[in-house]
Amino acid sequence: MPDLTNQPDVVIVGSGMGGATLAAGLAPTGAKVLILERGERLKNTPETRDPRAIFQRGFFRPQESWIDGAGRPFNPGNYYLVGGNTKFFGAVLIRYRAEDFAPIQHAEGATPGWPFAYEEFEPWYSRAEALYQVRGALGQDPTEPPHSAPYPFAPVPDEPAIAKVRERMARAGLHPASLPLGVDIERWLKGGATPWDAFPNADSGKSDAESCGLAAALKYPNVELRTGARVTRLIASADGKRVDGVEVLSGGETTTIRAKIVVLSAGAVMSAALLLRSGLANGSDMVGRHFMNHNSSAVLAIDPRSVNDSVYQKTLGMNDYYLSDGAGGPPLGNIQLLGKISAPILKANVKLAPEWSLSWVARHAVDWYAMSEDLPNPESRVTVNGADIHLDWRRSNWAAHERLVKALKERCRAAGYPIVLSRAFDRRTPSHQCGTVRIGADPLKAPLDPFCRTYDHANLFVVDASFLPTSAGVNPALTVAAQALRVADHIAKNDL
Ligand SMILES: Cc1cc2nc3c(=O)[nH]c(=O)nc-3n(C[C@H](O)[C@H](O)[C@H](O)COP(=O)(O)OP(=O)(O)OC[C@H]3O[C@@H](n4cnc5c(N)ncnc54)[C@H](O)[C@@H]3O)c2cc1C
């Protein structure tokens, strides 16, 4: 293992979707890249496939509390491992729709649009799909934006029960389409007959930041990963115009690492917290603001006459209400299948119900995930107070989400599911956290330029879900990866 710690060209804080993918993009340049990751590599233990351990006992949840807007502590589902939150992700690697890059009028406000158009960004989506080995099909989803290259692999097949769901939803007037997924299904199932959504990936076929981005980066001798290395502060240069390096806590010792370029990729809450603690990059007073997550609900469509014996389930999505409510009104959001819900998973949420009754529900239910855009609001924000992290999420656009759930329920009933239940996901789960250090063309309104460089410090970048100026209504990870590859090209050309 080379020792680059004395003089890396680029130090990257965090090995999740942003950090690992950026490292993959920079690796071929020959630049010395050091990735500092606070977590360790996930071990392949029985708990990785045990729904009781994951959902009931919270085996993998960090021992950490943040404080919500009402001053109450809560345990966030934010994971510190090599690969970050992607270790647990549902592996839906979907592009934002082309329309998401322009301002959009929603029921409860407007989005600002991006500082560049979809067409400009598109080549990096194709590269991200190649790196993350996305399985998908073009031509099924009417909202699919133009692709310059086809998906690298054919879609993950519907299980027989899900093929019937596809037919039923199509008969009810919707356009079910194969979800673009980063899953090698044969490898995944060799590790156990479980879904992958929220089950951590112990090198068993999920395309996450560790198995794809980081693995590609570490093939190069000029890239090093240091685990158990928690960055506590960024150090500004004497004139405040640059960042000299970072302070790292590792094995109980604090050291300083200096680098030509510093990249924060610690996730949307942690990157904002690090900047706020360091007093950096905040000339706009926008760091930590515009926190977004998605508005989301589980919708269980139950038909007592049919059995859903699928294992992984999660192969379909529908965007019929994505660009409008279906009647010319404002957008409502995306619908996709969840990983198959089982009795132990239901039990984690409905503690008093006997497991046999939950088994009946799970056996006859098709489990949907309805997801609506959360709009940027400067008062929805991350702040720090000493060691405490405060997350005051002001969820927006909730009426649109309720309309999406209502529309989905109606379509499910039309498709022959007489019982349809829904439950909103709770606020403690910042799975799709984003927006806290956003890009923008105006330094007064955004801390980052369109290439994720901080306006205040020429050698400091933030490359993770923080940069997203809008949450859109689809899963964020592929967009984070595509921007990371784009930023890597920009750094290679201008800074190395
Ligand atoms: C259960 C679940 C399901 C999801 N499903 C999907 C999905 O299907 N599709 C999708 O697109 N997205 C999904 N997501 C979201 C997706 O995982 C995130 O959007 C993505 O990981 C964000 O990338 P990131 O680089 O911002 O942060 P992360 O990937 O979380 O990476 C941040 C990294 O920084 C490290 N770190 C934090 N602080 C420090 C520090 N001080 N020093 C050093 N290292 C630090 C962390 O340990 C972590 O490795 C899901 C998330 C969850 C939790």
Side-chain angles (χ1 to χ4, degrees):
M1 178 69 70
D3 179 13
L4 309 172
T5 50
N6 289 332
Q7 249 326 320
D9 295 308
V10 184
V11 73
I12 301 175
V13 182
S15 65
M17 199 53 150
T21 312
L22 181 81
L26 290 176
T29 66
K32 291 181 183 176
V33 177
L34 174 64
I35 306 165
L36 299 171
E37 167 55 52
R38 132 183 196 171
E40 299 293 344
R41 286 194 189 262
L42 175 78
K43 293 194 181 69
N44 190 0
T45 61
E47 286 82 6
T48 58
R49 294 302 182 98
D50 177 353
R52 288 188 175 78
I54 299 167
F55 297 94
Q56 293 178 14
R57 303 206 301 277
F59 184 84
F60 294 100
R61 282 181 97 93
Q63 302 299 309
E64 176 183 45
S65 284
W66 296 349
I67 297 166
D68 73 11
R72 291 171 305 218
F74 68 101
N75 175 233
N78 197 42
Y79 299 96
Y80 307 106
L81 287 164
V82 173
N85 281 320
T86 66
K87 295 307 293 178
F88 289 80
F89 79 162
V92 177
L93 290 166
I94 188 170
R95 300 179 179 205
Y96 275 25
R97 311 289 93 175
E99 292 81 355
D100 288 318
F101 289 74
I104 296 178
Q105 187 60 49
H106 286 265
E108 292 177 30
T111 53
W114 284 49
F116 44 85
Y118 172 81
E119 290 69 26
E120 189 181 330
F121 195 52
E122 195 284 333
W124 289 278
Y125 266 137
S126 289
R127 279 180 48 196
E129 283 165 355
L131 179 61
Y132 284 89
Q133 301 167 16
V134 180
R135 275 92 173 138
L138 295 176
Q140 295 182 5
D141 179 347
T143 71
E144 186 73 47
H147 284 230
S148 57
Y151 284 109
F153 295 93
V156 177
D158 291 344
E159 292 164 283
I162 302 309
K164 287 189 191 136
V165 173
R166 190 188 278 256
E167 283 165 17
R168 285 172 81 161
M169 297 314 280
R171 274 203 303 274
L174 298 179
H175 294 83
S178 296
L179 281 173
L181 290 165
V183 181
D184 175 343
I185 191 61
E186 284 174 19
R187 266 184 74 200
W188 179 261
L189 293 177
K190 269 190 199 137
T194 72
W196 60 79
D197 199 359
F199 285 69
N201 178 35
D203 196 22
S204 30
K206 215 181 336 185
S207 295
D208 63 31
E210 182 189 24
S211 64
C212 290
L214 193 64
L218 290 176
K219 283 191 184 137
Y220 291 80
N222 50 307
V223 180
E224 184 188 342
L225 167 72
R226 213 209 284 181
T227 61
R230 179 177 181 168
V231 170
T232 49
R233 200 168 67 90
L234 309 188
I235 302 158
S237 63
D239 64 5
K241 291 193 173 147
R242 299 178 67 80
V243 169
D244 280 346
V246 297
E247 214 170 70
V248 190
L249 178 63
S250 181
E253 259 183 55
T254 298
T255 51
T256 298
I257 293 177
R258 296 182 188 279
K260 202 151 85 177
I261 294 165
V262 174
V263 182
L264 266 184
S265 301
V269 171
M270 285 306 173
S271 286
L274 269 169
L275 289 177
L276 291 170
R277 283 207 179 106
S278 310
L280 291 174
N282 202 13
S284 61
D285 185 32
M286 292 297 153
V287 171
R289 295 184 186 273
H290 306 107
F291 173 88
M292 293 169 280
N293 199 4
H294 280 132
N295 296 317
S296 50
S297 295
V299 176
L300 268 55
I302 300 169
D303 179 356
R305 297 155 307 184
S306 68
V307 168
N308 179 1
D309 57 3
S310 64
V311 171
Y312 50 88
Q313 182 175 262
K314 197 176 179 69
T315 49
L316 288 186
M318 297 179 299
N319 278 322
D320 296 272
Y321 303 106
Y322 194 85
L323 299 176
S324 89
D325 62 1
L332 303 184
N334 165 273
I335 296 163
Q336 58 188 249
L337 285 168
L338 283 162
K340 181 71 197 103
I341 300 283
S342 58
I345 298 177
L346 284 172
K347 182 82 180 164
N349 295 289
V350 203
K351 295 198 171 53
L352 291 179
E355 217 166 291
W356 64 263
S357 66
L358 301 176
S359 294
W360 184 89
V361 171
R363 194 168 153 73
H364 294 284
V366 176
D367 320 300
W368 295 99
Y369 180 59
M371 171 167 49
S372 308
E373 180 151 2
D374 190 13
L375 309 176
N377 168 3
E379 299 313 318
S380 180
R381 64 192 292 206
V382 175
T383 52
V384 291
N385 181 7
D388 290 339
I389 290 186
H390 292 251
L391 176 56
D392 184 2
W393 175 26
R394 308 275 174 98
R395 144 189 273 178
S396 66
N397 213 25
W398 187 251
H401 184 61
E402 285 180 327
R403 288 192 58 207
L404 178 67
V405 171
K406 188 164 174 258
L408 173 58
K409 284 178 155 178
E410 278 169 11
R411 287 301 87 206
C412 287
R413 285 194 198 98
Y417 298 88
I419 309 167
V420 192
L421 311 171
S422 66
R423 181 161 175 166
F425 276 78
D426 72 33
R427 304 169 62 95
R428 298 174 309 134
T429 312
S431 307
H432 293 177
Q433 57 184 280
C434 65
T436 50
V437 195
R438 66 183 184 173
I439 53 169
D442 180 353
L444 295 176
K445 292 187 181 156
L448 303 179
D449 79 5
F451 289 98
C452 290
R453 188 192 301 269
T454 61
Y455 279 111
D456 296 354
H457 315 283
N459 67 333
L460 175 62
F461 293 76
V462 182
V463 183
D464 57 24
S466 313
F467 87 80
L468 293 167
T470 60
S471 66
V474 291
N475 322 55
L478 186 77
T479 302
V480 174
Q483 173 74 342
L485 292 174
R486 179 172 174 267
V487 172
D489 287 355
H490 180 79
I491 290 176
K493 191 164 158 217
N494 298 287
D495 299 84
L496 292 175

